[in-house]
Amino acid sequence: MKPVVTAKSFSSPCVRNCCLDDNDVCLGCYRSIKEIMQWSNMSDAEKSATLDKSQSRQERARQKQIELMDSFQ
């Protein structure tokens, strides 16, 4: 049986390192400005989807950094 997810399971992923890139995505938590502004009004399902998207954005950003570093070697 899956554990029940409560609203408390979805505290804001903000890491207080806010800086938006050219696409209006925070470089601290990797949420879009729209997602940040709507967070408190999102359902648990929307918050879960947002966390999945932000994790994917973070992974892509890290991969780009690795590729950039590799290009200098």
Side-chain angles (χ1 to χ4, degrees):
M1 177 184 271
K2 285 181 126 181
V4 175
V5 178
T6 65
K8 290 183 181 181
S9 299
F10 291 104
S11 59
S12 173
C14 181
V15 295
R16 307 288 191 264
N17 187 22
C18 305
C19 181
L20 299 178
D21 68 10
D22 293 337
N23 296 313
D24 286 335
V25 172
C26 177
L27 298 175
C29 67
Y30 291 92
R31 292 180 294 164
S32 70
I33 188 68
K34 183 179 176 182
E35 292 165 340
I36 293 168
M37 292 172 43
Q38 294 177 343
W39 181 261
S40 62
N41 296 317
M42 288 181 180
S43 68
D44 286 351
E46 291 169 322
K47 288 178 180 180
S48 179
T50 297
L51 292 175
D52 289 343
K53 285 188 267 185
S54 65
Q55 182 176 4
S56 293
R57 289 183 194 119
Q58 184 177 25
E59 290 168 1
R60 283 194 305 270
R62 285 188 177 153
Q63 186 58 40
K64 285 181 183 180
Q65 289 173 340
I66 291 168
E67 291 170 5
L68 181 61
M69 295 301 290
D70 287 347
S71 72
F72 287 108
Q73 294 179 356

